[in-house]
Amino acid sequence: MEYFDVLDERGQYTGKIATRGECHEKGLFHKAVALFIINSRNQVLLQKRSSSKRAWPNCWDISAGGHVLAGEFGFEAVIRECEEELGLLIQEKDPLFIGAVTSCTTTPHDIHNHYNEFYVVRKDLEVDSLKLQMSEVSDVCWFEKADIVQKIQQHDPNLTEKEGCWEYLLKYYEWLDKK
């Protein structure tokens, strides 16, 4: 059973913990992390969510991510989720924190009140070298910067509808363009 730190609407710790089920049934705020892996060609690695996922099955999503466990920091969750979902080991120094936002999303089964932290890892890798957690991820693919930007701007229905997530990727690409 997974336990999460319960947060207030501003992302502050309340001192309480709750199960995943309690958080999603009652709409309790808790932390989640999103990681974008971007290679030297500025392509972004996205994962296709498994068809068995309760939220956004078969949709293209962030490179890796998930919930932050009770007592865990966001960067620790990024490292853990990257290894679990992709079989990819990253180091503590690798994730670059690029921002955070609260989001409130309701799906048919759950209330997702999250304090989301967004990270980028710059890494060149072959998708064939990854070991996908098939219960979570059915496929991965490098997306060209122009293609993913267009998909985001056109609200492509094949992308997850995670509040704030795609906007942070766009902001990161804007920052890269200024460098």
Side-chain angles (χ1 to χ4, degrees), residues 150-162:
Q150 182 179 20
K151 287 179 183 304
I152 294 167
Q153 290 173 341
Q154 294 178 349
H155 304 284
D156 187 310
N158 295 310
L159 295 178
T160 58
E161 297 175 0
K162 293 181 176 177

Side-chain angles (χ1 to χ4, degrees), residues 92-140:
E92 187 177 315
K93 64 177 177 45
D94 294 336
L96 171 67
F97 176 76
I98 60 170
V101 67
T102 57
S103 65
C104 303
T105 307
T106 302
T107 60
H109 306 288
D110 297 308
I111 303 168
H112 303 271
N113 287 340
H114 291 154
Y115 182 82
N116 302 294
E117 293 182 2
F118 302 103
Y119 295 85
V120 168
V121 166
R122 299 302 304 243
K123 191 164 191 67
D124 289 317
L125 58 91
E126 297 296 326
V127 295
D128 295 343
S129 70
L130 301 175
K131 293 175 180 57
L132 306 183
Q133 181 184 21
M134 298 310 284
S135 62
E136 299 271 336
V137 182
S138 64
D139 196 9
V140 290

Side-chain angles (χ1 to χ4, degrees), residues 153-179:
Q153 290 173 341
Q154 294 178 349
H155 304 284
D156 187 310
N158 295 310
L159 295 178
T160 58
E161 297 175 0
K162 293 181 176 177
E163 192 175 345
C165 176
W166 301 111
E167 291 80 3
Y168 270 90
L169 178 60
L170 292 178
K171 292 299 278 181
Y172 183 76
Y173 275 138
E174 287 175 19
W175 176 77
L176 283 178
D177 289 341
K178 292 177 189 175
K179 282 179 64 175

Side-chain angles (χ1 to χ4, degrees), residues 1 15 18 20 22 24 28 53 60 75 93 100 147 173 177:
M1 179 149 321
R20 171 193 288 266
E22 290 172 311
H24 289 163
L28 302 175
K53 296 295 287 179
W60 288 101
F75 73 89
K93 64 177 177 45
D147 292 339
Y173 275 138
D177 289 341

Side-chain angles (χ1 to χ4, degrees), residues 20-35:
R20 171 193 288 266
E22 290 172 311
C23 287
H24 289 163
E25 287 171 23
K26 298 176 182 176
L28 302 175
F29 275 91
H30 55 287
K31 278 191 182 185
V33 292
L35 170 67

Side-chain angles (χ1 to χ4, degrees), residues 71-96:
E72 191 175 44
F73 284 113
F75 73 89
E76 292 175 296
V78 164
I79 293 168
R80 176 180 49 77
E81 292 286 354
C82 196
E83 183 176 4
E84 287 175 6
E85 294 178 359
L86 304 176
L88 179 64
L89 296 175
I90 59 173
Q91 304 300 313
E92 187 177 315
K93 64 177 177 45
D94 294 336
L96 171 67

